[in-house]
Amino acid sequence: MFARIAGVGGFVPGEPVTNQDLVRRGVDTSDEWIITRTGIRARHLAGPGTLASDLALEASRRALSAAETGADELDLIIVATSTPDCVFPGTSCILQTRLGNRGAMVFDLQAACSGFIYALNVAEKLIRAGSCRKALVVGAEIFSRILDWNDRATCVLFGDGAGAVVLEASEKAGILASVAHADGSYHAILSVPGHISDGKVAGDPFLRMDGQAVFRFAVRALFDVALECCSAAKVSPSDIDWFIPHQANLRIIDSTAKKLGIDSGRIIVTLDAHGNTSAASIPLALDAAVRDGRIRRGQKLLLEGVGGGFTWGAALLEF
Ligand code: UT7
């Protein structure tokens, strides 16, 4: 029994905000700097009042429709997010009721930018164990809420969005291997340190990052975990049809792909249009390439992510 992707959906809010738009809004940066250092050209930013569950709902409806699955058929919903609607209940519970599901096992998963890969891993294991048959796995983020717009080293990098997949138990091949890791000793190089205490935010409520330390960590972790996942699935990187990495920085993506021997024509890149949408980035990239017809049934996909924690992981699947 495999866990197989039955449908994919994605959603980004509003109109694209270009690098030039950020300059016009007063960020001390340039289109040239952002493109050269990251590959990002635009991102989408949610309007005031929009919450992660709003984005998750749209992406989930599209994934359920693609999978021809009713929300009432789901017996598991996982929402990977670091920007939940509220402290509790989980954004997954809010999503569940808005979709019209009752009774499924439902929880949020917090693994920053690796959240979707972690959630996919957990859903796969629950399906293979026979505990669930149909799962909705969502990455939904509104990172614009936790950005310090005076910190040009971080505020230009991120965007808002959501991506979702419906996973179902299947005798046909699906996820062949999924692996996930963490090393909390790196927690300080990418974090939002604040928390709520005595009715207000205690500590720093904004995303803080040591960009170069993150860069070094990401390049190493993404290469190692790709090899580990390929080996677990008994698939050579040369046999992968599409490489769908976390969309943080084109230089990280290119260097990982080069080391794996994956040519640029087999990489799905959406960070130019979305920026880094954290847990939403991989399903958004997957959705874009499924919708435009590049990804087809039967092809082998390598998904991988890395993020705050530090956390990282990969999944190799036959679509
Ligand atoms: O999901 C995981 C999350 N994060 C990542 O994967 C990010 C990983 N790291 C990176 O992508 C890169 O480290 C960055 C894109 C964040 C930064 O690139 P870098 O080549 O490491 O630049 P840097 O931090 O060394 O900064 C170089 C210069 C500095 O100026 P000086 O000191 O050389 O005069 C910065 O002040 O670039 C300056 N700078 C900017 N200039 C224009 C930093 N941010 C900006 C900006 N616009 N937005």
Side-chain angles (χ1 to χ4, degrees):
M1 188 61 76
F2 289 97
R4 174 178 173 273
I5 293 184
V8 187
F11 180 74
V12 286
E15 294 301 313
V17 176
T18 65
N19 296 339
Q20 204 51 49
D21 289 333
L22 293 185
V23 174
R24 277 193 283 272
R25 290 178 186 195
V27 180
D28 178 18
T29 188
S30 69
D31 184 43
E32 196 262 332
W33 191 95
I34 301 173
I35 290 176
T36 314
R37 302 283 175 139
T38 71
I40 297 167
R41 292 171 186 273
R43 73 286 294 141
H44 290 251
L45 304 175
T50 301
L51 296 171
S53 65
D54 295 315
L55 309 186
L57 182 64
E58 283 306 320
S60 300
R61 281 184 175 147
R62 292 173 190 192
L64 287 165
S65 159
E68 297 178 1
T69 298
D72 55 339
E73 296 174 58
L74 298 170
D75 47 19
L76 171 66
I77 299 174
I78 310 178
V79 175
T81 186
S82 301
T83 48
D85 288 16
C86 53
V87 175
F88 73 83
T91 301
S92 49
C93 291
I94 297 164
L95 175 67
Q96 178 198 26
T97 190
R98 292 181 73 186
L99 283 172
N101 175 283
R102 271 187 177 191
M105 180 200 288
V106 155
F107 61 94
D108 285 17
L109 193 152
Q110 215 281 45
C113 300
S114 311
F116 179 79
I117 286 289
Y118 261 65
L120 198 66
N121 186 311
V122 173
E124 188 231 342
K125 306 289 187 275
L126 285 169
I127 286 174
R128 287 189 92 136
S131 305
C132 302
R133 289 199 63 81
K134 289 205 183 204
L136 177 68
V137 179
V138 188
E141 301 280 21
I142 305 201
F143 259 48
S144 58
R145 299 278 154 72
I146 51 168
L147 295 176
D148 176 355
W149 290 97
N150 294 310
D151 177 10
R152 65 179 184 171
T154 55
C155 72
V156 302
L157 303 175
F158 295 91
D160 303 333
V165 301
V166 175
L167 270 190
E168 65 183 15
S170 165
E171 279 167 20
K172 266 195 250 164
I175 297 177
L176 304 175
S178 62
V179 294
H181 300 288
D183 183 345
S185 68
Y186 287 89
H187 71 274
I189 64 172
L190 177 55
S191 67
V192 180
H195 62 278
I196 293 176
S197 176
D198 289 334
K200 49 187 185 298
V201 176
D204 187 345
F206 294 121
L207 182 149
R208 301 298 175 200
M209 179 173 74
D210 176 344
Q212 293 193 357
V214 170
F215 195 102
R216 285 192 298 275
F217 190 101
V219 167
R220 194 181 69 242
L222 289 173
F223 176 65
D224 289 349
V225 84
L227 287 188
E228 180 192 354
C229 195
C230 285
S231 153
K234 299 187 176 55
V235 171
S236 156
S238 58
D239 292 330
I240 290 161
D241 295 294
W242 294 106
F243 178 45
I244 309 166
H246 172 47
Q247 308 284 313
N249 185 310
L250 199 52
R251 291 185 290 146
I252 296 176
I253 293 174
D254 285 344
S255 123
T256 309
K258 195 169 166 197
K259 285 203 281 174
L260 291 169
I262 297 175
D263 56 84
S264 59
R266 289 189 288 144
I267 311 173
I268 305 296
V269 174
T270 50
L271 70 80
D272 53 331
H274 296 157
N276 180 348
T277 55
S278 186
S281 92
I282 295 170
L284 271 174
L286 175 64
D287 176 60
V290 169
R291 267 189 298 115
D292 69 22
R294 276 177 293 170
I295 292 180
R296 295 188 306 276
R297 285 288 171 197
Q299 291 184 325
K300 287 196 174 54
L301 316 183
L302 174 62
L303 280 48
E304 64 169 3
V306 62
F310 247 71
T311 54
W312 66 102
L316 205 152
L317 57 100
E318 205 169 293
F319 186 66

